Amino acid sequence: MSLAQASSTAASTDPKSPNTAYEPIRGQAGKDVIWIPTPEGLIDKMLTAAKVTEQDRLFDLGSGDGIIAITAARKFGAQSVGIEYNPDMAQFARRKVNEAGLNNKVRIITGDIFKEDFTSATVVTLYLMPHLNLQLRPTLLKMKPGTRVVSHAFTMGDWEPDETMQHEYSRAYYWMVPAQVAGDWVITGLEGGPVRLRMNQTFQHIGGTMTRGGVTQALMGARLQGEELKFRFSTPDQTVHTFTGKVEGKRMTGSVSSGFTNASIEGVRQ
């Protein structure tokens, strides 16, 4: 991947078309940034952190010479799409895809990352600039919960990374897009119900309270990973119960366990 942005222009997908003599130069100017390739050792760590598999569809934003898209396909089996602004660079990347024998798994688009639709991605990789990351952040946060995002060098502002990785002098950051859980929920399936849940959220960091039988208590150990939600609460007899489930839009499903008991519950956001 490169420190290079993207703006839409049509280009041939034939790797044998003109401009095959083009060779990118480290540090060359792009639309908003310069081109600096991501080290292969860091690419491996980025894709490993994102747990990329053959089930994934990876989009590399500002894909430069195509190395991340190619590596994701060659080493991890993913279907990959690179979006690159510079038509010469995009054509160079297509040559590399062709040389790697990966035309059936990797596609390079000459396009604008702010105009192309990459919402079908399960993994997004990028090496842009902090202000571009922040411009992209609202789009990323609206993607399907559980989508993995990895950025070389730059963060997403106050959206704290779930993991940081380093290779020699290079660093990358990993996030998983969280479900939107903030708000008031009504839970059914528990004794003494209905139970009211009030959740607060700052990106993947969550907390909240549960009101049951007129008694309100803070949730313990609340954790959100993608669409997967987990928290604990106690009953008047001081028994600790654990909820494990998932959030899909305005619906929450899962089970509450304590000792040898297990009950299925559902929640609806109000």
Side-chain angles (χ1 to χ4, degrees):
M1 182 194 259
S2 66
L3 185 55
Q5 214 256 75
S7 184
S8 69
T9 15
S12 168
T13 57
D14 179 5
K16 297 179 182 178
S17 62
N19 300 326
T20 54
Y22 173 85
E23 293 284 340
I25 300 172
R26 183 184 178 92
Q28 70 183 37
K31 180 175 182 287
D32 296 303
V33 290
I34 61 172
W35 179 66
I36 303 292
T38 298
E40 290 193 33
L42 186 64
I43 292 172
D44 288 343
K45 290 187 176 183
M46 290 168 65
L47 299 180
T48 298
K51 297 181 172 61
V52 176
T53 72
E54 65 277 0
Q55 303 299 318
D56 283 309
R57 181 174 175 81
L58 179 144
F59 274 74
D60 187 23
L61 308 185
S63 55
D65 59 2
I67 184 62
I68 285 188
I70 290 169
T71 302
R74 187 181 68 241
K75 290 189 177 182
F76 297 82
Q79 291 289 329
S80 303
V81 181
I83 304 176
E84 170 56 41
Y85 167 70
N86 184 329
D88 290 328
M89 180 74 90
Q91 190 63 13
F92 176 81
R94 293 185 191 102
R95 283 169 45 201
K96 293 299 182 182
V97 171
N98 189 56
E99 290 168 6
L102 291 169
N103 288 312
N104 63 328
K105 293 188 74 69
V106 181
R107 182 164 61 101
I108 304 296
I109 297 172
T110 307
D112 185 336
I113 60 175
F114 292 101
K115 295 179 181 178
E116 299 292 339
D117 182 5
F118 56 87
T119 56
S120 64
T122 58
V123 179
V124 176
T125 54
L126 57 160
Y127 182 15
L128 302 171
M129 292 290 285
H131 71 285
L132 298 175
N133 280 10
L134 289 179
Q135 287 180 48
L136 285 168
R137 193 175 80 176
T139 300
L140 294 169
L141 285 167
K142 289 178 183 177
M143 292 178 71
K144 180 178 172 59
T147 301
R148 289 95 75 200
V149 180
V150 197
S151 170
H152 177 187
F154 301 111
T155 65
M156 293 279 175
D158 56 351
W159 182 13
E160 296 179 2
D162 296 309
E163 185 178 340
T164 300
M165 62 225 68
Q166 189 152 348
H167 173 74
E168 296 177 347
Y169 299 106
S170 300
R171 182 173 295 180
Y173 304 91
Y174 165 80
W175 300 261
M176 181 178 286
V177 175
Q180 298 303 308
V181 302
D184 293 326
W185 298 77
V186 174
I187 307 296
T188 56
L190 290 174
E191 291 182 11
V195 173
R196 297 194 175 274
L197 200 64
R198 174 162 289 181
M199 302 289 296
N200 53 66
Q201 177 175 13
T202 303
F203 303 110
Q204 72 272 43
H205 302 298
I206 60 168
T209 59
M210 172 182 282
T211 301
R212 182 180 184 184
V215 177
T216 299
Q217 61 174 293
L219 301 178
M220 301 180 290
R223 182 171 61 86
L224 180 65
Q225 187 174 37
E227 63 179 10
E228 297 178 1
L229 174 64
K230 189 172 185 177
F231 59 81
R232 300 190 308 276
F233 62 93
S234 61
T235 47
D237 62 0
Q238 302 304 308
T239 301
V240 175
H241 301 259
T242 301
F243 168 81
T244 304
K246 64 179 182 179
V247 175
E248 296 177 286
K250 294 185 177 182
R251 186 167 178 257
M252 180 187 302
T253 57
S255 61
V256 169
S257 61
S258 175
F260 298 103
T261 64
N262 194 295
S264 295
I265 70 168
E266 291 191 9
V268 177
R269 196 197 322 255
Q270 300 300 289

